[in-house]
Structure formats: structure tokens, C-alpha cells
């Protein structure tokens, strides 16, 4: 009965959030281009010069493409950098317009140089892409001006209007960031808690004691969703950092910023607890098959996920019903169910898996069941901690548990020397940025050559399609290619209908504004819709100075040609196949998990301290795990002859994520009273795990030999950990809160045992990934 209840609650809670989600997204993405385009159209009407519409609108669009989340100060600096790059690009295009070879070389060199500039961060990646697009817009506007207004100076006028449109939108963006600094932060926090809620929903599915369930597939889904949670955490962190006073921590800044910072730290803690694993779920399902205790665990997880969704709705200003006390009651019921199981003799606990063996069950046979019961108690303590942590997110400034070290790591370049070092580090053949830049340059040269050879007067649309479609990776390019073609066809149909049904200039100008707003608002989340909008905008805008119907066929043909060139280039020109990067990414994941374990063991000896070093090690481990999962999504859309090691990579991904779950459980149970010397079997186990992970990472990178598996020291260590666990006793644990000091040692031993048992399988999958794949795989 538990499953249908929480599933229904999830669906109803998610559905009611859509209107608020889109309203909030429109405030973030739609209002600024609406203001900019309305003013541009008003200026064109006031000047009675329809020809100014095209460059001004394109300038607004280019500036919007360069926009990233930032404070008003950061946005002002970025806007000045953007205008500087735009001016240089427009000037270079103007100087080479009458020299096709020179213009082709300018575009090719700009593609490589601007791609390398992306090494400085997301802000500069956006500026680089937008600069190249503005260069093509400048060429396109110059050709349109030459056809429609052949007076002297028309070309330069078009470029100046482009820059004016870009500067106008930049001014709107800076003012908006100054007037509404918290909108994007709240949106990122809401997206983070939504991602956490979905992660908890998927995690709850692992607790179904049902025979024949494909847990492997569910684990894969969980690992992929973890990558989305990590991305949401990174986006929120950058959003907060950009608005934080220089050199200050979470205790500085406005009240809303401190509250948002506290909610972000709560989400980090909640993520660590949510990603924890205390036992093999198959074993728990077998031992407690005839008990409802796992359904109660599932219900608690689902309710915590619903609480996350509720908080996301509150962050977006969604009006919803008051929160009930379901989570508190569910935790009490779970605690009572476990206490009832703990009151049973060992033999009766063992008989829960097979009731028919109750009469002959012995204490020895009950030992595995008792161990599972202890893991279940640790799980319940962690769930109670999740409920308490989430309560802190609802009133973060009233919670006295915030860490003393609230610094965030600044990943931006510190100075010009650091920036140059980052760019120079990409000047190697293995760099994805350099390969993408060279690939894009070759594609632009091919498109330009076709345009010149065929005499296509609208050929710059081919180059624009290449820039928009060509992505660093094959799978991403294919997806974008399909979205571009589909959106173009849809936009042509819509544009033709609007031109036919509404021939009035005023109405067409209104639709042009609407199309521009839709393009800017959906370019990052619904590229098919964005492509349709920009296509309709082109037809409507060019119809102001000519016949928009004549552009329908050229737009379609040029989009298809540009998409074909982009698809061939990402396949043939220095391709960055993710399937060949899997060993390197797996090695990085294993190394980062080793660093995470080192920080955790330090915490067990010194006590819980959420300082920057610990949070950074935890985030690096999850970032590496997310990078591996993202690579796997790309692998399965690559050509079949390349993804032969896809199955091995997916199995290794599951094992890496499982190990991260075990380490996260260790991190979740550290607390201020757990400080103790790490000696004996636990210290040896930690050393063996660290040595094994570092050795596997070196072997995956081809820098070391594969260690024999299983390690001879493995079984003695597992036995020593088990004996130490028994000698520590089975102290009772009260409900709620973290585990107190007497039981911290059993939890540490149990989690280290789980990690040790995983090492042989992890080594086997790593070796399988590194080996030359067979056709059967």
C-alpha cells in the first residue's frame, strides 16, 4: 500500500509545479529580450526605417547568447569584454568582406582562438560562441544591406547597428542583475532541490522487496540522475559565488544571500546522505522479505523527496498546501518497526527470509541477519538525519548547525598569468577544446567554400547552422542537428502561416518580437522550439525589407547543408570519442574517491568539520562520477564500432557509483563526538582501499600493472573487521540523529567491509574496460 500512495503524491506534486516553473523561467529569460526587442522595434518605427530592424534584432540576440548568470558587477565586466570582442570581430569581418579568402581565414582563426578562450570558464565560453555568431551576423547584415540599400557606408552601418543592439541588451542585462539579484539564485536552488527530489525517488525504488526486480537498471538510472544533481549543485555554487562579497563567507552579504547559501550547504549535506548506501540492497530484500520494514524505508525516502519538491515550489513562489507531519510519523513508524525486529532472537530474525526454516534456525545462521539489522539501523539513523537536515533548509538561518568554514573555491582565473596558463594548457592534440576549435574551423571553411562555389547569396545561413549545430562531442552534435532541422521546418511552416494570415506590418513586427523572446528564453532548454522561433523571426524580419516568402526554400536548403557539414566534421575531423576517454575518466573518478576517503578518515579522527578541504574533496568525487556518467550517455550514441566497450564502461560506472555510495555513508555518519584514533583493522582497511584505488587508476591510464585479484590481504582484513564488530557489541541505538560514539566503530567497520568486498569486482570491470574490446561485447 505504501508504493501507490507515495507515487501518487509525487505525480500530483510535480504537476502542480509546472505553471510556477514557467512563470519563473519567463521572468529570468523572457522579460529582458522582450524589453530590448520592443524598444528596437519602436525605434525602427520612429525612424521609419525598417531596414534597421534586422541588424538591431540580431545584435540583441547575439548579446543574449553571450549572457551568463552573474552579479551586476560581474555582468558589467562581462558585457564590456563582450563588446570588445564583438567590436574586434565586426571590424575584422568588415575589412575582409570584399576578400572571400581573407574572410574565410578570419572565421577559421576566430573559431580556434575563441574555442581556446573557453578554457577560462563558462562566461568566456558563452562570449566566444556569441562573438563568432556576431561575426556571421555582421556578414549577413552587410549582404542584406547591399541588396536592400546599396548606398555607400551601408556595410559599416549594419555593423554599428549590430553593436548598438548588443550594447542595448547588455545595458538591460546589467540593470536587471542589479534590480533583481535573487531571481536566478532562487531558480538554481529550486532546480537543485527538484533534482534531489528525483534522486530520492529513484533511490526509494531500490527498497522494494520484490523478486525479479532489475536492480542493475535502477542503479544505472540512479547514477545518471546523480550527474544531474551534481550539475545543479555546481550551477548553484557558481550563482552564489558570483554574488558573494569578495573574500567573504556565508556570514557576509544580504539576508537573502546568507539564507540561500545556507540552503545550498544543506543541499550538499542532504546529497551526501541521500547517496549513502549501508548494505547490499539484495541482501536486505532477502533478509526482510516477509517484513514491511523496507517499505517503511521506501516511504521515508519518498517523503523526503516530496519535501524537496515542496521546497523547490516555495523557492519559485508556488502557492501550495501547508506541509503535514507525514515525514515525522513515518520516521517514528520506521523506528518502531526496527525496534520490534531488534527485540526478536537472532534465529527469528534469520527466519524472516525463510519462515519455513524457523524451527531449525540457529544463532550462527542468524549472524548475517543480525548484521543486516545493524545496517538497517544505520540506514534509519541516516534517514532521520536527512529529515533533520531538510528541516534546516526550510529555516536555514534558525539552524545552529552551519559549518564554521563557509568559503567557496574560486575557479576563475586569478590574474592574466593564470588565464594565459590555462589557455596554453589547451594547446595539445588531446585537448577537447582545441579539437573542437579545429573541427569547427574546418567545417566553416568547407561551408564557405560551398557558398562561394555555388553562388548561394544566403550562404551565411550555412555557416550559422554549422556554428549552432557543431558541438564538442558526436552525440551532442547529432541531437542538436536533429533539433535544428526539425525546428527549422516547424519555423518555416509557422512563418509562412504568419506571413499569409497577417500581412500587416504592425502585426508582423509584433510576431517578430514574440519570436525573438521565445528564441532567447528557450535556447538552452528547448532548442527545437528556439530554432523554430529564430527561423520565424528571420522570415518576419526580412519581410520588412523584401519578400519573406522567397527565403523559405533557401533557409531550408542551407540548414540541411550546414547540418550535413557539421555532422560529417564531428565524425571525420579530429573526433573526440567519449568511448576512448572512459579509462581516463574512470581513473579520475577512482582517484577523487581516494581523496574523498582520506578526508573522511581525517574527520573520523578529528571530529566533524565541514571545512573547504572536505567539501571540495566530496564535490570533486561527485563531479568525477558525474563526468563518467555523462560520458556513458554519449558513448551509446556513438558509432557501433566504437562503443564495444560500452557495456564494460556501464558496469564500471555502476561499481564506481556504488563505492561512492559506501564512502558517502561514512561521511554521513561522521559527527563531532566520533573523534578517535584510527588504528588496527580499520586503519589497514583504509590503507588497502587507498592503495587499490590509486593502483587501479594508474593501470587504467596505462602507467602501472594490474595487481593480482583478489588481494591476499583482503580476506584476513574482512575477518578482522567482522571480529572487531562483534567485540564492539550490539549497543542499542536510539531513534533520530547521527550515531553516537559507541556505535561509530561498527558503522565504520561495516562500511569499510562493504568497500573492501567491492574491490575485486571493481578491479575486474576496470581491467575489462582497459582491455581491447571484443566484437561480442
Amino acid at each position: 500500500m505504501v508504493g501507490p500512495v507515495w507515487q501518487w503524491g509525487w505525480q500530483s506534486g510535480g504537476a502542480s509545479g509546472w505553471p510556477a516553473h514557467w512563470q519563473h523561467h519567463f521572468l529570468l529569460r523572457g522579460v529582458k529580450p522582450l524589453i530590448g526587442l520592443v524598444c528596437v522595434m519602436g525605434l525602427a518605427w520612429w525612424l521609419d526605417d525598417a531596414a534597421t530592424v534586422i541588424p538591431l534584432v540580431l545584435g540583441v540576440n547575439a548579446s543574449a547568447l553571450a549572457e551568463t548568470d552573474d552579479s551586476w558587477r560581474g555582468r558589467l565586466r562581462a558585457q564590456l569584454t563582450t563588446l570588445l570582442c564583438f567590436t574586434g570581430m565586426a571590424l575584422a569581418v568588415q575589412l575582409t568582406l570584399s576578400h572571400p579568402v581573407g574572410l574565410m581565414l578570419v572565421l577559421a582563426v576566430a573559431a580556434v582562438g575563441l574555442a581556446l578562450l573557453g578554457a577560462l570558464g563558462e562566461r568566456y565560453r558563452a562570449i566566444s560562441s556569441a562573438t563568432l555568431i556576431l561575426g556571421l551576423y555582421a556578414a549577413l547584415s552587410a549582404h542584406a544591406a547591399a541588396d536592400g540599400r546599396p548606398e555607400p557606408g551601408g556595410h559599416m552601418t549594419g555593423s554599428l547597428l549590430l553593436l548598438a543592439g548588443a550594447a542595448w541588451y547588455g545595458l538591460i542585462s546589467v540593470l536587471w542583475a542589479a534590480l533583481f539579484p535573487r531571481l536566478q539564485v532562487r531558480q538554481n536552488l529550486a532546480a537543485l532541490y527538484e533534482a534531489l527530489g528525483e534522486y530520492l525517488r529513484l533511490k526509494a525504488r531500490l527498497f522494494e522487496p520484490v523478486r525479479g526486480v532489475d536492480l542493475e537498471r535502477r542503479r544505472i538510472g540512479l547514477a545518471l540522475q546523480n550527474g544531474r544533481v551534481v550539475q545543479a549543485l555546481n550551477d548553484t555554487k557558481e550563482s552564489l559565488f558570483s554574488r558573494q562579497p569578495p573574500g567573504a563567507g556565508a556570514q557576509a552579504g544580504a539576508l537573502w544571500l546568507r539564507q540561500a547559501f545556507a540552503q545550498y550547504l544543506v543541499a550538499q549535506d542532504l546529497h551526501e546522505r541521500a547517496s549513502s548506501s549501508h548494505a547490499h540492497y539484495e541482501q536486505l530484500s532477502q533478509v526482510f522479505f516477509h517484513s514491511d520494514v523496507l517499505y517503511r524505508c521506501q516511504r521515508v525516502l519518498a517523503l523526503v523527496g516530496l519535501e524537496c519538491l515542496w521546497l523547490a515550489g516555495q523557492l519559485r513562489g508556488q502557492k501550495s498546501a501547508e506541509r503535514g507531519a507525514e515525514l515525522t510519523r513515518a520516521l517514528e513508524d520506521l523506528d518502531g518497526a526496527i525496534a520490534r525486529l531488534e527485540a526478536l532472537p537472532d534465529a527469528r530474525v534469520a527466519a524472516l527470509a525463510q519462515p519455513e526454516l524457523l524451527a531449525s534456525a540457529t544463532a550462527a545462521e542468524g549472524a548475517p541477519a543480525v548484521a543486516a539489522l545493524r545496517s538497517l539501523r544505520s540506514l534509519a539513523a541516516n534517514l532521520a538525519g536527512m529529515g533533520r537536515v531538510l528541516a534546516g533548509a526550510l529555516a536555514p538561518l534558525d539552524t545552529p548547525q552551519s559549518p564554521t568554514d563557509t568559503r567557496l573555491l574560486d575557479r576563475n582565473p586569478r590574474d592574466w598569468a593564470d588565464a594565459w596558463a590555462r589557455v596554453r594548457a589547451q594547446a595539445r592534440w588531446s585537448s577537447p577544446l582545441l579539437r573542437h576549435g579545429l573541427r569547427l574551423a574546418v567545417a566553416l571553411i568547407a561551408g564557405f567554400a560551398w557558398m562561394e562555389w555555388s553562388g548561394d547569396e544566403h550562404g551565411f545561413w550555412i555557416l550559422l547552422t554549422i556554428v549552432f549545430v557543431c558541438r564538442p562531442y558526436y552525440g551532442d552534435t547529432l541531437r542538436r542537428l536533429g533539433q535544428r532541422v526539425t525546428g527549422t521546418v516547424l519555423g518555416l511552416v509557422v512563418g509562412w502561416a504568419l506571413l499569409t494570415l497577417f500581412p500587416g506590418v504592425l502585426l508582423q513586427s509584433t510576431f517578430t518580437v514574440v519570436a525573438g523572446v521565445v528564441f532567447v528564453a528557450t535556447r538552452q532548454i528547448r532548442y527545437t522550439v528556439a530554432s523554430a522561433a529564430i527561423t520565424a523571426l528571420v522570415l518576419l524580419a526580412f519581410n520588412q525589407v523584401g519578400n519573406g516568402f522567397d527565403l523559405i526554400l533557401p533557409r531550408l536548403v542551407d540548414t540541411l547543408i550546414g547540418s550535413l557539414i557539421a555532422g560529417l566534421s564531428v565524425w571525420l575531423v579530429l573526433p573526440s570519442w567519449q568511448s576512448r576517454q572512459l579509462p581516463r575518466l574512470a581513473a579520475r573518478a577512482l582517484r577523487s574517491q581516494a581523496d574523498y576517503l582520506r578526508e573522511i578518515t581525517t574527520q573520523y579522527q578529528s571530529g566533524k568539520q565541514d571545512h573547504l578541504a572536505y567539501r571540495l574533496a566530496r564535490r570533486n568525487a561527485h563531479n568525477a562520477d558525474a563526468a563518467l556518467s555523462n560520458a556513458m550517455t554519449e558513448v551509446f550514441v556513438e558509432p557501433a564500432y566504437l562503443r564495444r566497450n560500452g557495456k564494460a564502461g556501464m558496469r564500471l560506472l555502476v561499481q564506481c557509483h556504488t563505492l561512492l555510495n559506501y564512502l558517502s555513508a561514512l561521511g554521513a555518519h561522521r559527527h563531532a563526538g566520533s573523534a578517535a584514533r584510527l588504528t588496527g583493522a580499520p586503519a589497514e582497511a583504509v590503507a588497502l582501499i587507498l592503495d587499490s584505488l590509486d593502483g587501479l587508476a594508474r593501470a587504467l591510464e596505462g602507467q602501472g600493472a594490474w595487481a593480482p585479484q583478489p588481494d591476499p590481504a583482503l580476506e584476513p582484513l574482512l575477518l578482522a573487521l567482522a571480529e572487531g564488530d562483534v567485540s564492539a557489541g550490539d549497543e542499542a541505538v536510539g531513534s533520530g540523529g547521527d550515531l553516537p560514539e559507541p556505535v561509530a566503530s561498527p558503522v565504520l567497520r561495516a562500511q569499510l567491509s562493504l568497500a573492501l568486498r567491492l574491490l575485486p569486482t571493481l578491479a575486474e570491470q576496470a581491467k575489462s574496460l582497459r582491455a581491447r574490446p571484443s566484437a561480442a561485447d
Side-chain angles (χ1 to χ4, degrees), residues 21-37:
H21 172 79
W22 284 107
Q23 291 170 10
H24 206 81
H25 186 79
F26 177 74
L27 280 175
L28 286 169
R29 301 295 183 188
V31 174
K32 290 176 287 184
L34 177 62
I35 296 172
L37 292 174

Side-chain angles (χ1 to χ4, degrees), residues 366-548:
V370 172
L373 185 58
R374 183 180 292 114
S375 296
L376 189 63
R377 171 55 75 183
S378 300
L379 170 63
N382 187 42
L383 292 175
M386 290 172 62
R388 200 174 55 259
V389 166
L390 189 56
L394 302 175
L397 295 183
D398 299 333
T399 304
Q401 300 173 358
S402 59
T404 56
D405 186 356
T406 56
R407 293 172 297 161
L408 293 177
L409 178 65
D410 185 5
R411 299 183 184 273
N412 294 316
R414 296 184 299 273
D415 47 36
W416 287 103
D418 185 23
W420 172 244
R422 295 190 187 193
V423 173
R424 188 175 54 187
Q426 299 298 320
R428 47 189 174 83
W429 286 112
S430 60
S431 168
L433 289 178
L434 178 62
R435 297 171 78 91
H436 173 61
L438 292 173
R439 188 184 312 122
L440 184 57
V442 171
L444 288 173
I445 291 174
F448 199 98
W450 171 267
M451 179 183 70
E452 291 295 316
W453 177 79
S454 63
D456 187 353
E457 60 181 5
H458 302 291
F460 285 102
W461 286 345
I462 297 176
L463 306 185
L464 280 170
T465 299
I466 291 172
V467 173
F468 276 107
V469 168
C470 195
R471 313 298 291 174
Y473 300 111
Y474 179 84
D476 197 11
T477 300
L478 286 190
R479 284 190 293 271
R480 183 61 68 92
L481 189 152
Q483 292 167 350
R484 179 79 176 186
V485 173
T486 303
T488 298
V489 173
L490 179 61
L492 291 175
V493 172
V494 172
W496 171 83
L498 293 177
L499 292 176
T500 303
L501 298 176
F502 306 99
V505 177
L506 179 60
L507 279 176
Q508 289 185 10
S509 299
T510 302
F511 290 133
T512 301
V513 172
V514 173
V517 172
V518 172
F519 168 70
V520 175
T522 61
R523 71 188 190 278
Q524 294 178 337
I525 57 174
R526 295 287 187 274
Y527 188 70
T528 300
V529 177
S531 296
I534 195 63
T535 300
L537 183 148
V538 166
L539 295 184
L540 293 166
F542 275 85
N543 197 59
Q544 306 289 316
V545 295
N547 186 358

Side-chain angles (χ1 to χ4, degrees), residues 501-659:
L501 298 176
F502 306 99
V505 177
L506 179 60
L507 279 176
Q508 289 185 10
S509 299
T510 302
F511 290 133
T512 301
V513 172
V514 173
V517 172
V518 172
F519 168 70
V520 175
T522 61
R523 71 188 190 278
Q524 294 178 337
I525 57 174
R526 295 287 187 274
Y527 188 70
T528 300
V529 177
S531 296
I534 195 63
T535 300
L537 183 148
V538 166
L539 295 184
L540 293 166
F542 275 85
N543 197 59
Q544 306 289 316
V545 295
N547 186 358
F549 292 98
D550 294 340
L551 302 178
I552 294 178
L553 184 59
R555 176 75 176 185
L556 177 61
V557 173
D558 289 343
T559 297
L560 293 175
I561 294 174
S563 298
L564 178 61
I565 293 174
L568 290 175
S569 66
V570 79
W571 181 29
L572 300 175
V573 182
L574 296 174
S576 298
W577 302 119
Q578 288 295 85
S579 55
R580 294 175 179 172
Q581 299 299 320
L582 289 180
R584 179 182 61 83
L585 293 174
R588 177 187 165 196
L590 294 176
R591 278 205 177 92
S592 63
Q593 291 190 26
D595 293 337
Y596 184 28
L597 178 57
R598 290 187 182 96
E599 286 295 330
I600 291 174
T601 54
T602 300
Q603 298 270 307
Y604 269 87
Q605 297 179 86
S606 62
K608 180 177 180 178
Q609 293 179 344
D610 274 336
H611 48 59
L612 179 61
Y614 177 81
R615 288 185 283 114
L616 182 60
R618 178 174 62 188
R619 186 56 41 221
N620 286 341
H622 282 284
N623 280 337
D625 183 77
L628 184 58
S629 66
N630 292 337
M632 287 307 309
T633 61
E634 295 291 329
V635 165
F636 286 101
V637 295
E638 291 180 352
Y641 71 90
L642 287 166
R643 60 173 184 261
R644 292 178 180 176
N645 58 355
K647 293 181 180 179
M650 186 60 74
R651 290 192 293 265
L652 181 59
L653 169 63
V654 171
Q655 299 302 321
C656 285
H657 188 68
T658 302
L659 178 60

